[in-house]
Amino acid sequence: MKFLGINAIFHDPAAALVADGRIVAAAEEERFSRRKHGKRPLAFSAWELPEQAAAWCLRQAGLSPEDIDVVAYSYDPSLVTGRPEGDWEDLRTRYAVRAPAFLATALPGLDPGQVAYVPHHVAHAASAGLASPWRDCAVLVCDGRGESVSHLAGVYRGGELEVLAAQELPHSLGLMYEDVTEHLGFLRSSDEYKVMAMASYGDPRHLEALREVIYTTGDGGFRVEPVDWNVYAKALPRGAAWTSDHADLAASVQARLEEVLLELVRWLYERTGARRLALAGGVALNCVANTRLLDEGPFAEVWVQPPAGDSGTALGGALHLAQAYGEPAGPMPGAALGRGFTDEELGAWLDVARVPHTRPADLAAAVAAELAADRIVAWFQGRSEYGPRALGQRSLLAHPGHARNTERLNDVKGREQFRPVAPMVLESRAAEIFGRGPVPSPYMLFVHDVRPGWAERIPAVVHVDGTARIQTISPREQPLMARVLIEFEARTGLPVVVNTSLNTAGRPMVDDPRDALECFGSAPVDVLVLGPYLVRRGEVFGS
């Protein structure tokens, strides 16, 4: 059977295809539309569907809309409670009720009767529990909101979900973090990771006060009382300079979030006795909290869905229905589930653009030489990543041994200078350089302590608190990138390369060759690697 998953109702619209017991494709609409997050999370934007992503998923499998057996829509309007008629929020429900007709219009030939609603947090849970490497595990979902709840705690046994707790709105850890994001001058439902980064610069001096208004209830749930954030730091206009007061607020909120999550997972462990925990929901993209859950929590293993935010519910909805129909399709094969291009297609793009290029006999050695010479490399290989992290398919690479490269990369991307960049390292070398977080860590969803003696050697990837958000590379899964790391170490003595996403501020990650060429042309990047081809900036634009 063929299952098409659709996320559309809040933000990060996406589509995913599960066919004949296999995860075939998944992609976010932003990669096609070039609108960051696809759309803003407004009630009256709920009608916007991931039309391009869905159409591509079908093409990838050689299918037409008529071939789809079931469409999983990751929101169930029948579960919405307490929304007054006439309120803007009611538009979400109205659009969701009409989603089958909208989908049939977007995908001509699709039978509206094939559309099935999957509760939002059940779709999140499936994206974690059913996509994880395990059939049996506890699962925790925490985000801004779904139909009427903001969290789910449960357990998968034999692929079947038992829900043990769900927190009703308006109490929401995700919405609380969004409020702080907006208060600190960032874009809510978009820039929450900036608050996490800012927290490293502050002192959690308001933690005791926040414990009074953000607390667990002992039954698997929690409460978030109304908070006047101005008591702790004056609200910042968008883009304004922040002070130590703002960093202290960020640090306090981050610390309280971590404490509450620890209490929730301890309750879940007591109820299930499971050894393994799978996480999803936007809060699960908080890699600092994830590491603390693994380090201090009771679970022996923790797995996080790479697109843990709403885009992941497209995959989760499809997996949930595949399981219900007796065709389980997990575990997830990796995050490289998006668009890919043949060498011939990539070469044709370069020819049409009249861009001088070479095809090195040993691409890994050529790229390592460029990196060793302290050049910034735009790296475009294979199928694009599903989710917000650049994982070696659409990346900017640089030398980690020069502290100034953090500033260089933030300048290239046009973003705040307090934003960190991440290290790539061979899975076999990670434990000697990084501690506390898990190894392997292929999805960049945990932070690791940088071991003594290494921070001075790789300063570009060490955050202000002495941690780094690493990505481990497996030679079996990413042989070319593994060879780049080996060749780079042979030239520099450093087994680490800087990795950050291939995009500029406010733009989605590069997805197709045109995006790559446009980014290369507009940003001060030294080298573009497009599949097997290498383009040097000086040969295109002059030195």
Side-chain angles (χ1 to χ4, degrees):
M1 295 180 69
K2 280 94 178 155
F3 302 88
L4 179 66
I6 296 289
N7 171 61
I9 201 73
F10 291 117
H11 50 82
D12 296 299
L17 182 67
V18 171
D20 303 322
R22 186 170 66 92
I23 298 171
V24 176
E28 291 130 310
E29 186 72 3
E30 68 165 22
R31 307 297 171 84
F32 300 84
S33 69
R34 309 310 298 160
R35 293 171 60 197
K36 188 73 170 174
H37 297 296
K39 64 188 182 74
R40 293 302 301 142
L42 305 170
F44 42 81
S45 72
W47 64 271
E48 296 186 53
L49 296 168
E51 298 182 25
Q52 297 179 77
W56 171 78
C57 284
L58 294 179
R59 290 196 304 272
Q60 178 70 13
L63 301 175
S64 64
E66 295 90 340
D67 298 319
I68 297 300
D69 294 293
V70 187
V71 176
Y73 187 85
S74 61
Y75 185 87
D76 185 347
S78 71
L79 300 179
V80 177
T81 59
R83 300 285 178 242
E85 289 294 327
D87 187 356
W88 281 114
E89 284 297 314
D90 187 55
L91 283 177
R92 295 191 202 274
T93 306
R94 292 179 184 272
Y95 285 135
V97 167
R98 291 163 176 78
F102 291 156
L103 284 163
T105 300
L107 300 170
L110 182 73
D111 179 359
Q114 301 297 96
V115 178
Y117 296 112
V118 178
H120 185 73
H121 286 88
V122 170
H124 267 310
S127 81
L130 297 181
S132 78
W134 320 304
R135 289 282 287 170
D136 298 332
C137 63
V139 62
L140 182 71
V141 174
C142 194
D143 66 356
R145 55 164 297 185
E147 297 88 352
S148 58
V149 301
S150 68
H151 134 281
L152 178 153
V155 60
Y156 275 98
R157 294 188 176 95
E160 298 298 323
L161 173 65
E162 179 187 0
V163 177
L164 301 174
Q167 178 56 56
E168 292 187 0
L169 293 168
H171 302 285
S172 169
L173 295 173
L175 291 180
M176 177 274 294
Y177 212 90
E178 287 187 18
D179 289 343
V180 174
T181 298
E182 188 171 53
H183 187 79
L184 294 175
F186 304 125
L187 184 63
R188 68 183 301 138
S189 295
S190 175
D191 294 345
E192 283 70 29
Y193 55 91
K194 297 182 183 180
V195 177
M196 183 183 70
M198 183 187 290
S200 298
Y201 291 82
D203 172 26
R205 58 190 175 92
H206 307 301
L207 182 54
E208 196 59 45
L210 292 181
R211 287 173 177 153
E212 298 295 318
V213 291
I214 305 167
Y215 53 90
T216 56
T217 52
D219 58 357
F222 52 85
R223 295 290 182 272
V224 179
E225 307 296 349
V227 181
D228 181 2
W229 303 112
N230 282 298
V231 170
Y232 307 108
K234 184 179 178 181
L236 280 175
R238 184 80 56 81
W242 52 277
T243 68
S244 60
D245 286 343
H246 299 99
D248 289 350
L249 173 57
S252 302
V253 169
Q254 174 68 28
R256 187 56 188 146
L257 174 72
E258 293 169 16
E259 289 181 342
V260 170
L261 290 174
L262 271 169
E263 291 175 30
L264 293 176
V265 301
R266 286 168 179 153
W267 178 91
L268 183 56
Y269 178 78
E270 290 174 1
R271 288 293 305 272
T272 65
R275 295 185 63 255
R276 294 159 169 155
L277 173 67
L279 299 174
V283 175
L285 291 172
N286 192 305
C287 54
V288 177
N290 293 345
T291 294
R292 193 167 176 190
L293 293 182
L294 177 63
D295 188 42
E296 300 178 32
F299 290 95
E301 296 179 77
V302 176
W303 188 86
V304 185
Q305 168 59 241
D310 277 2
S311 64
T313 65
L315 176 61
L319 290 173
H320 175 76
L321 290 183
Q323 177 73 30
Y325 277 85
E327 294 194 4
M332 192 171 175
L337 294 170
R339 281 190 289 181
F341 302 85
T342 66
D343 292 352
E344 292 73 20
E345 289 172 327
L346 296 174
W349 273 98
L350 291 169
D351 291 339
V352 168
R354 299 181 182 178
V355 174
H357 56 277
T358 61
R359 185 168 185 164
D362 189 338
L363 182 64
V367 171
E370 298 287 349
L371 292 170
D374 202 23
R375 298 188 180 97
I376 294 175
V377 175
W379 177 265
F380 184 110
Q381 295 291 334
R383 294 178 66 175
S384 60
E385 299 92 339
Y386 178 41
R389 305 282 192 254
L391 301 172
Q393 280 77 36
R394 308 289 188 269
S395 292
L396 283 169
L397 309 177
H399 195 307
H402 306 300
R404 68 179 183 276
N405 279 344
T406 307
E407 182 177 346
R408 282 179 72 197
L409 285 166
N410 282 329
D411 284 342
V412 165
K413 293 166 70 70
R415 67 184 194 179
E416 301 89 351
Q417 286 299 337
F418 67 84
R419 301 273 297 280
V421 291
M424 273 183 170
V425 61
L426 285 174
E427 185 179 305
S428 60
R429 303 294 304 279
E432 68 185 85
I433 306 166
F434 304 102
R436 193 164 62 110
V439 174
S441 185
Y443 300 130
M444 212 183 287
L445 286 165
F446 296 86
V447 295
H448 294 63
D449 294 330
V450 181
R451 294 195 184 280
W454 279 101
E456 298 78 14
R457 299 183 64 188
I458 52 173
V461 297
V462 182
H463 200 24
V464 65
D465 61 359
T467 65
R469 188 184 67 196
I470 80 170
Q471 180 197 356
T472 57
I473 297 295
S474 162
R476 180 176 58 84
E477 295 173 2
Q478 292 179 276
L480 182 59
M481 181 56 71
R483 286 206 57 242
V484 170
L485 287 164
I486 292 168
E487 293 285 345
F488 181 75
E489 183 178 14
R491 289 161 172 77
T492 65
L494 300 177
V496 169
V497 166
V498 179
N499 172 31
T500 189
S501 56
L502 179 51
N503 66 330
T504 53
R507 299 283 290 165
M509 255 196 291
V510 159
D511 197 78
D512 74 9
R514 183 190 295 275
D515 304 333
L517 288 165
E518 288 178 349
C519 187
F520 180 65
S522 64
V525 174
D526 300 304
V527 176
L528 169 64
V529 178
L530 199 66
Y533 306 104
L534 191 147
V535 182
R536 293 181 173 86
R537 187 171 197 83
E539 295 173 1
V540 177
F541 302 106
S543 57

